[in-house]
Coordinates of all heavy atoms in Angstrom, one line a residue:
M194 N -14.6 63.0 -31.2 CA -13.4 63.4 -30.4 C -12.5 62.1 -30.2 O -13.1 61.1 -29.8 CB -13.8 64.1 -29.1 CG -12.5 64.3 -28.2 SD -13.0 65.1 -26.6 CE -13.5 66.7 -27.2
D195 N -11.3 62.1 -30.5 CA -10.4 61.0 -30.2 C -10.0 61.0 -28.7 O -10.0 62.0 -28.1 CB -9.2 61.0 -31.1 CG -9.5 60.9 -32.6 OD1 -10.6 60.2 -32.9 OD2 -8.8 61.4 -33.4
M196 N -9.5 59.9 -28.3 CA -9.1 59.7 -27.0 C -7.8 60.7 -26.6 O -7.8 61.1 -25.4 CB -8.6 58.3 -26.6 CG -9.8 57.2 -26.7 SD -11.0 57.6 -25.3 CE -10.2 56.8 -24.0
D197 N -7.1 61.0 -27.6 CA -5.9 61.9 -27.3 C -6.3 63.4 -27.5 O -5.4 64.2 -27.4 CB -4.7 61.5 -28.1 CG -4.2 60.1 -27.6 OD1 -4.1 60.0 -26.4 OD2 -3.7 59.3 -28.4
D198 N -7.5 63.7 -27.9 CA -7.9 65.1 -28.0 C -8.1 65.7 -26.6 O -8.5 64.9 -25.6 CB -9.2 65.2 -28.9 CG -8.9 64.9 -30.3 OD1 -7.8 65.3 -30.8 OD2 -9.8 64.4 -30.9
E199 N -8.0 67.0 -26.5 CA -8.2 67.7 -25.2 C -9.6 67.9 -24.9 O -10.3 68.5 -25.7 CB -7.4 69.0 -25.2 CG -6.0 68.9 -25.1 CD -5.3 70.2 -25.0 OE1 -5.9 71.4 -25.0 OE2 -4.0 70.2 -24.9
L200 N -10.0 67.3 -23.8 CA -11.5 67.5 -23.4 C -11.6 68.7 -22.5 O -12.5 69.6 -22.8 CB -11.9 66.3 -22.6 CG -13.2 66.2 -21.9 CD1 -14.3 66.5 -22.9 CD2 -13.5 64.9 -21.2
C201 N -10.7 69.0 -21.6 CA -10.6 70.4 -21.1 C -9.6 71.1 -21.6 O -8.4 71.0 -21.3 CB -10.4 70.2 -19.5 SG -10.5 71.8 -18.6
L202 N -10.0 72.1 -22.5 CA -9.0 73.0 -23.2 C -8.3 73.9 -22.3 O -7.2 74.4 -22.6 CB -9.8 73.6 -24.3 CG -10.3 72.7 -25.3 CD1 -11.5 73.4 -26.2 CD2 -9.3 72.2 -26.3
C203 N -8.9 74.4 -21.3 CA -8.4 75.2 -20.3 C -7.1 74.6 -19.6 O -6.1 75.3 -19.5 CB -9.3 75.7 -19.1 SG -10.6 76.8 -19.8
F204 N -7.2 73.4 -19.2 CA -6.0 72.8 -18.6 C -5.4 71.7 -19.3 O -4.7 70.8 -18.8 CB -6.5 72.3 -17.2 CG -6.9 73.5 -16.3 CD1 -8.2 73.8 -16.1 CD2 -6.0 74.3 -15.8 CE1 -8.6 74.9 -15.3 CE2 -6.3 75.4 -15.0 CZ -7.6 75.7 -14.8
H205 N -5.7 71.6 -20.7 CA -5.1 70.6 -21.6 C -5.3 69.2 -20.9 O -4.3 68.4 -21.0 CB -3.6 70.9 -21.7 CG -3.5 72.4 -22.1 ND1 -3.9 72.9 -23.3 CD2 -3.0 73.4 -21.4 CE1 -3.6 74.2 -23.4 NE2 -3.1 74.6 -22.3
V206 N -6.4 68.7 -20.5 CA -6.6 67.5 -20.0 C -7.3 66.6 -21.2 O -8.4 67.0 -21.6 CB -7.7 67.5 -18.7 CG1 -7.8 66.1 -18.3 CG2 -7.0 68.4 -17.7
R207 N -6.7 65.6 -21.6 CA -7.2 64.8 -22.7 C -8.3 63.8 -22.3 O -8.3 63.4 -21.1 CB -5.9 63.9 -23.3 CG -4.9 64.8 -23.8 CD -3.7 64.1 -24.4 NE -2.7 65.0 -24.8 CZ -2.6 65.7 -25.8 NH1 -3.6 65.7 -26.6 NH2 -1.5 66.5 -26.1
K208 N -9.1 63.5 -23.2 CA -10.2 62.6 -23.0 C -9.8 61.3 -22.4 O -10.4 60.8 -21.5 CB -11.0 62.4 -24.3 CG -12.2 61.4 -24.2 CD -12.8 61.2 -25.5 CE -13.9 60.3 -25.4 NZ -14.5 60.1 -26.9
R209 N -8.7 60.8 -22.9 CA -8.1 59.4 -22.4 C -7.9 59.6 -20.8 O -8.2 58.6 -20.1 CB -6.9 59.1 -23.0 CG -6.3 57.7 -22.6 CD -4.9 57.5 -23.3 NE -4.9 57.6 -24.7 CZ -5.5 56.7 -25.6 NH1 -6.0 55.6 -25.1 NH2 -5.5 56.9 -26.9
K210 N -7.3 60.7 -20.4 CA -7.0 60.9 -19.0 C -8.2 60.9 -18.2 O -8.2 60.3 -17.0 CB -6.2 62.1 -18.8 CG -5.7 62.3 -17.3 CD -4.7 63.5 -17.3 CE -4.2 63.6 -15.9 NZ -3.0 64.6 -15.7
V211 N -9.3 61.5 -18.6 CA -10.5 61.6 -17.9 C -11.2 60.3 -17.8 O -11.7 59.8 -16.7 CB -11.6 62.6 -18.5 CG1 -12.9 62.6 -17.8 CG2 -10.9 64.0 -18.5
V212 N -11.3 59.6 -18.9 CA -11.8 58.2 -18.9 C -11.1 57.3 -18.0 O -11.7 56.6 -17.2 CB -11.8 57.6 -20.3 CG1 -12.2 56.1 -20.4 CG2 -12.8 58.4 -21.3
N213 N -9.8 57.3 -18.0 CA -8.9 56.4 -17.1 C -9.2 56.8 -15.7 O -9.2 56.0 -14.8 CB -7.5 56.5 -17.4 CG -7.2 55.7 -18.7 OD1 -8.0 54.9 -19.1 ND2 -6.1 56.0 -19.5
F214 N -9.3 58.2 -15.4 CA -9.6 58.7 -14.1 C -10.8 58.1 -13.5 O -10.8 57.6 -12.3 CB -9.6 60.2 -14.0 CG -9.8 60.8 -12.7 CD1 -8.8 61.1 -11.9 CD2 -11.1 61.1 -12.1 CE1 -8.9 61.6 -10.6 CE2 -11.3 61.6 -10.9 CZ -10.1 61.9 -10.1
V215 N -11.8 58.1 -14.3 CA -13.2 57.5 -13.9 C -13.0 56.0 -13.5 O -13.5 55.5 -12.5 CB -14.2 57.7 -14.9 CG1 -15.6 57.1 -14.5 CG2 -14.5 59.2 -15.1
R216 N -12.4 55.3 -14.5 CA -12.3 53.9 -14.4 C -11.3 53.5 -13.1 O -11.7 52.5 -12.4 CB -11.6 53.2 -15.6 CG -12.5 53.3 -16.7 CD -11.9 52.7 -18.0 NE -12.8 52.6 -19.1 CZ -12.4 52.4 -20.4 NH1 -11.2 52.3 -20.6 NH2 -13.4 52.4 -21.3
V217 N -10.3 54.3 -12.9 CA -9.3 54.0 -11.8 C -9.8 54.4 -10.4 O -9.7 53.8 -9.5 CB -7.9 54.4 -12.1 CG1 -7.0 54.2 -11.0 CG2 -7.4 53.7 -13.4
E218 N -10.1 55.7 -10.4 CA -10.5 56.4 -9.1 C -11.9 56.3 -8.7 O -12.2 56.4 -7.5 CB -10.1 57.9 -9.3 CG -8.7 58.3 -9.6 CD -7.6 57.8 -8.6 OE1 -8.1 57.6 -7.4 OE2 -6.5 57.4 -8.9
R219 N -12.8 55.9 -9.6 CA -14.1 55.6 -9.4 C -14.7 56.7 -8.6 O -15.3 56.5 -7.5 CB -14.4 54.4 -8.6 CG -13.9 53.1 -9.4 CD -14.2 51.9 -8.7 NE -13.8 50.7 -9.5 CZ -14.4 50.1 -10.4 NH1 -15.7 50.5 -10.7 NH2 -13.9 49.0 -11.1
P220 N -14.8 58.0 -9.1 CA -15.4 59.1 -8.4 C -16.9 58.9 -8.2 O -17.6 58.2 -9.1 CB -15.2 60.3 -9.3 CG -15.0 59.6 -10.7 CD -14.2 58.4 -10.4
S221 N -17.5 59.4 -7.0 CA -18.9 59.1 -6.9 C -19.8 60.1 -7.6 O -21.0 59.9 -7.8 CB -19.2 58.9 -5.4 OG -18.8 60.2 -4.7
V222 N -19.3 61.3 -7.8 CA -20.0 62.4 -8.5 C -19.1 62.9 -9.6 O -17.9 62.9 -9.6 CB -20.6 63.5 -7.5 CG1 -21.6 62.9 -6.6 CG2 -19.4 64.1 -6.8
A223 N -19.8 63.5 -10.6 CA -19.0 64.1 -11.8 C -18.1 65.2 -11.4 O -17.0 65.4 -12.0 CB -20.0 64.5 -12.9
S224 N -18.5 66.0 -10.3 CA -17.7 67.1 -9.9 C -16.3 66.7 -9.4 O -15.4 67.5 -9.4 CB -18.4 67.9 -8.9 OG -18.7 67.1 -7.7
Q225 N -16.2 65.5 -9.1 CA -14.8 64.9 -8.6 C -13.9 64.9 -9.8 O -12.6 64.7 -9.4 CB -15.0 63.7 -7.9 CG -15.5 63.7 -6.5 CD -15.7 62.4 -5.9 OE1 -16.7 61.6 -6.3 NE2 -14.8 62.0 -5.0
L226 N -14.3 65.0 -11.0 CA -13.4 65.1 -12.1 C -12.4 66.2 -12.0 O -11.4 66.3 -12.8 CB -14.1 65.0 -13.4 CG -15.0 63.8 -13.7 CD1 -15.6 63.7 -15.0 CD2 -14.1 62.5 -13.5
S227 N -12.8 67.3 -11.3 CA -11.9 68.5 -11.1 C -10.5 68.0 -10.6 O -9.6 68.6 -10.7 CB -12.6 69.5 -10.2 OG -12.7 69.0 -8.9
E228 N -10.6 66.7 -9.8 CA -9.3 66.3 -9.3 C -8.4 65.6 -10.3 O -7.3 65.2 -10.2 CB -9.6 65.2 -8.3 CG -10.3 65.8 -7.0 CD -10.9 64.7 -6.2 OE1 -10.5 63.6 -6.2 OE2 -11.9 65.0 -5.4
C229 N -8.9 65.6 -11.6 CA -8.1 65.0 -12.8 C -7.6 66.3 -13.5 O -8.1 66.8 -14.5 CB -9.1 64.3 -13.7 SG -8.3 63.6 -15.1
G230 N -6.5 66.7 -13.0 CA -5.7 67.9 -13.7 C -6.4 69.2 -13.7 O -6.1 70.1 -14.5
G231 N -7.5 69.4 -12.8 CA -8.2 70.6 -12.7 C -9.3 70.6 -13.8 O -9.9 71.8 -14.0
A232 N -9.6 69.5 -14.4 CA -10.7 69.6 -15.5 C -12.0 70.3 -15.0 O -12.5 69.8 -14.0 CB -11.0 68.1 -16.0
G233 N -12.5 71.1 -15.8 CA -13.7 71.8 -15.6 C -13.7 72.9 -14.6 O -14.7 73.5 -14.5
T234 N -12.5 73.3 -14.2 CA -12.5 74.4 -13.2 C -12.0 75.7 -13.8 O -11.8 76.7 -13.1 CB -11.4 74.1 -12.0 OG1 -10.1 73.8 -12.7 CG2 -11.9 72.8 -11.3
G235 N -12.0 75.8 -15.1 CA -11.7 77.1 -15.9 C -13.0 77.7 -16.4 O -13.8 78.1 -15.6
C236 N -13.1 77.7 -17.7 CA -14.2 78.5 -18.3 C -15.5 77.7 -18.1 O -16.6 78.4 -18.3 CB -14.0 78.7 -19.8 SG -14.1 77.2 -20.8
G237 N -15.6 76.6 -17.8 CA -16.8 75.8 -17.6 C -17.2 75.1 -18.8 O -18.2 74.3 -18.7
W238 N -16.7 75.4 -19.9 CA -17.3 74.8 -21.2 C -17.3 73.3 -21.2 O -18.4 72.6 -21.6 CB -16.4 75.3 -22.4 CG -16.6 74.4 -23.6 CD1 -15.7 73.5 -24.1 CD2 -17.7 74.3 -24.5 NE1 -16.2 72.9 -25.3 CE2 -17.6 73.4 -25.5 CE3 -18.9 75.2 -24.5 CZ2 -18.4 73.3 -26.5 CZ3 -19.8 75.0 -25.5 CH2 -19.5 74.0 -26.5
C239 N -16.4 72.6 -20.6 CA -16.3 71.2 -20.8 C -17.1 70.4 -19.7 O -17.3 69.2 -19.8 CB -14.8 70.8 -20.6 SG -14.1 71.1 -19.0
R240 N -17.7 71.2 -18.8 CA -18.4 70.5 -17.7 C -19.5 69.5 -18.2 O -19.6 68.4 -17.7 CB -19.0 71.5 -16.7 CG -17.8 72.1 -15.8 CD -18.3 73.2 -14.9 NE -17.2 74.0 -14.5 CZ -17.4 75.2 -14.0 NH1 -18.5 75.7 -14.0 NH2 -16.3 75.9 -13.7
P241 N -20.4 70.0 -19.0 CA -21.4 69.0 -19.5 C -20.8 67.8 -20.2 O -21.3 66.7 -20.1 CB -22.2 69.8 -20.5 CG -21.9 71.2 -20.3 CD -20.5 71.3 -19.7
F242 N -19.7 68.0 -20.8 CA -19.0 66.9 -21.5 C -18.3 65.9 -20.5 O -18.2 64.7 -20.6 CB -18.0 67.3 -22.6 CG -18.8 68.2 -23.6 CD1 -18.7 69.6 -23.5 CD2 -19.5 67.6 -24.6 CE1 -19.4 70.4 -24.4 CE2 -20.2 68.4 -25.6 CZ -20.0 69.8 -25.5
L243 N -17.8 66.5 -19.5 CA -17.1 65.7 -18.4 C -18.3 64.8 -17.7 O -18.0 63.7 -17.4 CB -16.6 66.7 -17.3 CG -15.3 67.4 -17.7 CD1 -14.9 68.5 -16.6 CD2 -14.1 66.4 -17.8
K244 N -19.4 65.5 -17.5 CA -20.6 64.7 -17.0 C -20.9 63.5 -17.9 O -21.2 62.4 -17.4 CB -21.8 65.6 -16.8 CG -22.2 66.0 -15.5 CD -23.4 66.8 -15.4 CE -23.3 67.6 -14.1 NZ -24.4 68.6 -14.1
R245 N -20.9 63.8 -19.2 CA -21.2 62.6 -20.1 C -20.2 61.5 -20.0 O -20.4 60.3 -20.0 CB -21.3 63.2 -21.6 CG -22.6 63.9 -21.9 CD -22.5 64.6 -23.2 NE -22.2 63.8 -24.3 CZ -22.3 64.2 -25.6 NH1 -22.7 65.4 -25.9 NH2 -22.1 63.4 -26.7
I246 N -18.9 61.9 -19.9 CA -17.8 60.9 -19.8 C -17.9 60.2 -18.5 O -17.8 59.0 -18.3 CB -16.4 61.6 -19.8 CG1 -16.2 62.1 -21.2 CG2 -15.4 60.6 -19.4 CD1 -16.0 61.0 -22.3
F247 N -18.3 61.0 -17.4 CA -18.5 60.3 -16.0 C -19.7 59.2 -16.2 O -19.4 58.1 -15.8 CB -19.0 61.4 -15.1 CG -19.3 60.8 -13.7 CD1 -18.5 60.3 -12.9 CD2 -20.7 60.8 -13.4 CE1 -18.9 59.8 -11.7 CE2 -21.1 60.2 -12.2 CZ -20.2 59.8 -11.3
V248 N -20.8 59.5 -16.8 CA -21.9 58.6 -16.9 C -21.4 57.5 -17.7 O -21.8 56.3 -17.3 CB -23.1 59.3 -17.5 CG1 -24.2 58.3 -17.8 CG2 -23.7 60.3 -16.5
S249 N -20.9 57.7 -18.9 CA -20.5 56.6 -19.9 C -19.4 55.7 -19.3 O -19.6 54.5 -19.3 CB -20.3 57.1 -21.2 OG -19.1 57.9 -21.2
A250 N -18.3 56.3 -18.7 CA -17.2 55.5 -18.3 C -17.7 54.7 -17.0 O -17.2 53.6 -16.8 CB -16.0 56.4 -18.0
T251 N -18.5 55.4 -16.2 CA -19.0 54.6 -15.0 C -19.7 53.3 -15.4 O -19.7 52.3 -14.8 CB -19.8 55.5 -14.2 OG1 -19.1 56.5 -13.7 CG2 -20.5 54.7 -12.9
A252 N -20.5 53.4 -16.7 CA -21.1 52.3 -17.1 C -20.3 51.4 -18.0 O -20.8 50.4 -18.6 CB -22.4 52.8 -17.9
G253 N -19.0 51.7 -18.1 CA -18.1 50.8 -18.8 C -18.1 51.1 -20.4 O -17.6 50.3 -21.2
A254 N -18.6 52.2 -20.8 CA -18.6 52.6 -22.2 C -17.8 53.9 -22.4 O -17.3 54.5 -21.4 CB -20.1 52.9 -22.6
I255 N -17.7 54.4 -23.6 CA -17.0 55.6 -23.8 C -18.0 56.5 -24.7 O -18.3 56.1 -25.9 CB -15.6 55.3 -24.6 CG1 -14.7 54.6 -23.7 CG2 -15.0 56.7 -25.0 CD1 -13.4 54.2 -24.4
D256 N -18.3 57.7 -24.2 CA -19.2 58.6 -24.9 C -18.5 59.2 -26.2 O -17.3 59.5 -26.1 CB -19.6 59.6 -24.0 CG -20.9 60.4 -24.5 OD1 -20.9 60.8 -25.7 OD2 -21.8 60.6 -23.7
D257 N -19.3 59.1 -27.2 CA -18.7 59.7 -28.5 C -19.0 61.1 -28.5 O -20.0 61.6 -28.8 CB -19.4 59.0 -29.6 CG -18.7 59.3 -30.9 OD1 -17.5 59.7 -30.9 OD2 -19.3 59.1 -32.0
L258 N -18.0 61.9 -28.1 CA -18.3 63.4 -28.1 C -18.0 64.1 -29.4 O -17.6 63.4 -30.3 CB -17.2 64.0 -27.0 CG -17.3 63.5 -25.6 CD1 -16.2 64.1 -24.7 CD2 -18.7 63.7 -25.0
P259 N -18.4 65.4 -29.5 CA -18.2 66.0 -30.8 C -16.8 66.0 -31.4 O -15.9 65.8 -30.6 CB -18.7 67.4 -30.6 CG -19.4 67.4 -29.3 CD -18.9 66.3 -28.5
E260 N -16.8 66.2 -32.7 CA -15.4 66.2 -33.3 C -14.5 67.3 -32.7 O -15.0 68.4 -32.3 CB -15.5 66.4 -34.7 CG -16.1 65.3 -35.6 CD -15.2 64.0 -35.4 OE1 -13.9 64.2 -35.5 OE2 -15.6 62.9 -35.3
A261 N -13.3 67.1 -32.5 CA -12.4 68.0 -31.8 C -12.5 69.4 -32.4 O -12.5 70.4 -31.6 CB -11.0 67.5 -31.7
V262 N -12.5 69.5 -33.7 CA -12.5 70.8 -34.3 C -13.8 71.6 -34.0 O -13.7 72.8 -33.7 CB -12.2 70.7 -35.8 CG1 -13.4 70.1 -36.5 CG2 -11.9 72.1 -36.5
D263 N -14.8 71.0 -34.0 CA -16.2 71.6 -33.6 C -16.2 71.9 -32.1 O -16.7 72.9 -31.8 CB -17.3 70.6 -34.0 CG -17.4 70.4 -35.5 OD1 -17.0 71.2 -36.3 OD2 -17.9 69.3 -35.9
Y264 N -15.8 71.0 -31.4 CA -15.6 71.2 -30.0 C -14.9 72.5 -29.6 O -15.3 73.3 -28.8 CB -15.0 70.0 -29.3 CG -15.0 69.9 -27.8 CD1 -16.2 69.6 -27.1 CD2 -13.8 70.2 -27.1 CE1 -16.2 69.5 -25.7 CE2 -13.8 70.2 -25.7 CZ -15.0 69.8 -25.1 OH -15.0 69.7 -23.7
R265 N -13.7 72.6 -30.2 CA -12.8 73.7 -29.9 C -13.5 75.0 -30.5 O -13.4 76.1 -29.8 CB -11.4 73.5 -30.6 CG -10.4 74.6 -30.4 CD -9.1 74.1 -30.9 NE -8.4 73.0 -30.3 CZ -7.7 73.2 -29.2 NH1 -7.4 74.3 -28.8 NH2 -7.1 72.2 -28.7
S266 N -14.0 75.0 -31.6 CA -14.7 76.2 -32.1 C -15.9 76.6 -31.4 O -16.1 77.8 -31.1 CB -15.1 75.8 -33.7 OG -16.0 76.9 -34.2
N267 N -16.7 75.7 -31.0 CA -17.9 75.9 -30.1 C -17.5 76.5 -28.7 O -18.2 77.4 -28.2 CB -18.8 74.8 -30.0 CG -19.5 74.5 -31.2 OD1 -19.6 75.3 -32.2 ND2 -19.9 73.2 -31.4
R268 N -16.4 76.0 -28.3 CA -15.8 76.6 -27.0 C -15.4 78.0 -27.2 O -15.7 78.8 -26.3 CB -14.7 75.7 -26.5 CG -14.1 76.0 -25.1 CD -12.8 76.7 -25.2 NE -12.1 76.8 -24.0 CZ -11.0 77.2 -23.8 NH1 -10.2 77.6 -25.0 NH2 -10.3 77.4 -22.7
Q269 N -14.8 78.3 -28.3 CA -14.4 79.8 -28.5 C -15.6 80.6 -28.6 O -15.7 81.8 -28.1 CB -13.6 79.8 -29.8 CG -12.9 81.2 -30.0 CD -12.0 81.5 -28.9 OE1 -11.1 80.8 -28.4 NE2 -12.2 82.7 -28.2
T270 N -16.7 80.2 -29.2 CA -17.9 81.0 -29.3 C -18.5 81.2 -28.0 O -19.0 82.2 -27.7 CB -18.9 80.2 -30.2 OG1 -18.4 80.1 -31.5 CG2 -20.3 81.0 -30.3
Y271 N -18.5 80.1 -27.2 CA -19.0 80.2 -25.7 C -18.2 81.3 -24.9 O -18.7 82.2 -24.3 CB -18.8 78.8 -25.2 CG -18.8 78.6 -23.7 CD1 -20.1 78.3 -23.1 CD2 -17.7 78.7 -22.8 CE1 -20.2 78.2 -21.7 CE2 -17.8 78.5 -21.4 CZ -19.0 78.3 -20.9 OH -19.1 78.0 -19.6
I272 N -16.9 81.4 -25.1 CA -16.0 82.3 -24.5 C -16.3 83.7 -25.0 O -16.4 84.7 -24.3 CB -14.6 81.9 -24.5 CG1 -14.3 80.7 -23.7 CG2 -13.7 83.2 -24.2 CD1 -12.9 80.2 -23.9
D273 N -16.4 83.7 -26.4 CA -16.6 85.1 -27.1 C -17.9 85.6 -26.6 O -18.1 87.0 -26.5 CB -16.6 84.9 -28.5 CG -15.3 84.6 -29.1 OD1 -14.2 84.8 -28.3 OD2 -15.1 84.2 -30.2
N274 N -18.9 84.8 -26.3 CA -20.3 85.3 -25.8 C -20.3 85.6 -24.3 O -21.4 85.9 -23.8 CB -21.4 84.3 -26.1 CG -21.6 84.2 -27.7 OD1 -21.3 85.2 -28.4 ND2 -22.0 83.1 -28.1
G275 N -19.1 85.5 -23.7 CA -19.0 85.9 -22.3 C -19.6 84.9 -21.3 O -19.9 85.3 -20.2
K276 N -19.7 83.7 -21.7 CA -20.2 82.7 -20.8 C -19.2 82.0 -19.9 O -19.6 81.3 -19.0 CB -21.0 81.6 -21.7 CG -22.1 82.2 -22.4 CD -22.9 81.1 -23.1 CE -24.1 81.7 -23.7 NZ -24.9 80.8 -24.6
G277 N -17.9 82.3 -20.2 CA -16.9 81.7 -19.3 C -15.6 82.4 -19.6 O -15.4 82.9 -20.7
T278 N -14.7 82.4 -18.7 CA -13.4 83.0 -18.8 C -12.3 82.0 -18.6 O -12.3 81.3 -17.5 CB -13.3 84.1 -17.7 OG1 -14.3 85.0 -17.9 CG2 -12.0 84.9 -17.9
P279 N -11.5 81.8 -19.6 CA -10.4 80.7 -19.4 C -9.4 81.3 -18.4 O -9.3 82.5 -18.3 CB -9.9 80.6 -20.9 CG -10.3 81.7 -21.6 CD -11.5 82.3 -20.9
P280 N -8.6 80.5 -17.8 CA -7.6 80.9 -16.9 C -6.5 81.6 -17.6 O -6.3 81.4 -18.8 CB -7.0 79.6 -16.2 CG -7.4 78.6 -17.2 CD -8.7 79.1 -17.9
A281 N -5.9 82.6 -17.0 CA -4.8 83.3 -17.5 C -3.7 82.3 -17.8 O -3.4 81.5 -17.0 CB -4.3 84.4 -16.6
S282 N -3.0 82.5 -19.0 CA -1.9 81.5 -19.3 C -0.6 81.9 -18.8 O -0.4 83.0 -18.4 CB -1.9 81.3 -20.9 OG -1.8 82.5 -21.5
Ligands
FES451 S1 -12.5 73.9 -21.3 FE1 -12.6 72.8 -19.4 S2 -12.9 74.5 -17.9 FE2 -12.5 75.4 -19.8

């Protein structure tokens, strides 16, 4: 996933925005990433990836997440399987 790809597909929050949020705002727990454009508060698919970004960015690194096309496709499967509901658009 590139920095300009969407990490939270429900709220169109890009990976770059989340990484910068962690660096600048220094949240103490991963759940505070919800304050970054609502990331993670929709279907829930991105929450494990937000946690990974939280851990890596807190340590000064950038986690290499799955390719955007796979990430998007797997999120659709997750939704199709009834594991999460995206917000109404
Ligand atoms: S992709 Fe982030 S909450 Fe759905």
Side-chain angles (χ1 to χ4, degrees):
M194 179 181 291
D195 294 331
M196 292 295 278
D197 289 323
D198 288 325
E199 290 184 356
L200 177 52
C201 181
L202 297 162
C203 287
F204 294 103
H205 311 289
V206 181
R207 297 182 190 281
K208 179 179 176 181
R209 181 184 309 280
K210 185 170 182 170
V211 175
V212 169
N213 286 338
F214 182 88
V215 173
R216 288 179 176 163
V217 172
E218 301 297 331
R219 299 183 179 273
S221 55
V222 292
S224 62
Q225 286 179 281
L226 296 183
S227 65
E228 297 168 19
C229 180
T234 62
C236 72
W238 163 254
C239 64
R240 287 178 199 154
F242 302 98
L243 288 169
K244 253 184 207 171
R245 284 171 56 172
I246 292 293
F247 171 75
V248 170
S249 62
T251 299
I255 298 176
D256 198 310
D257 191 22
L258 299 182
E260 288 298 319
V262 66
D263 297 331
Y264 184 79
R265 184 175 289 274
S266 170
N267 290 340
R268 185 252 193 175
Q269 189 59 53
T270 301
Y271 168 89
I272 289 170
D273 291 346
N274 288 338
K276 295 184 177 176
T278 305
S282 54

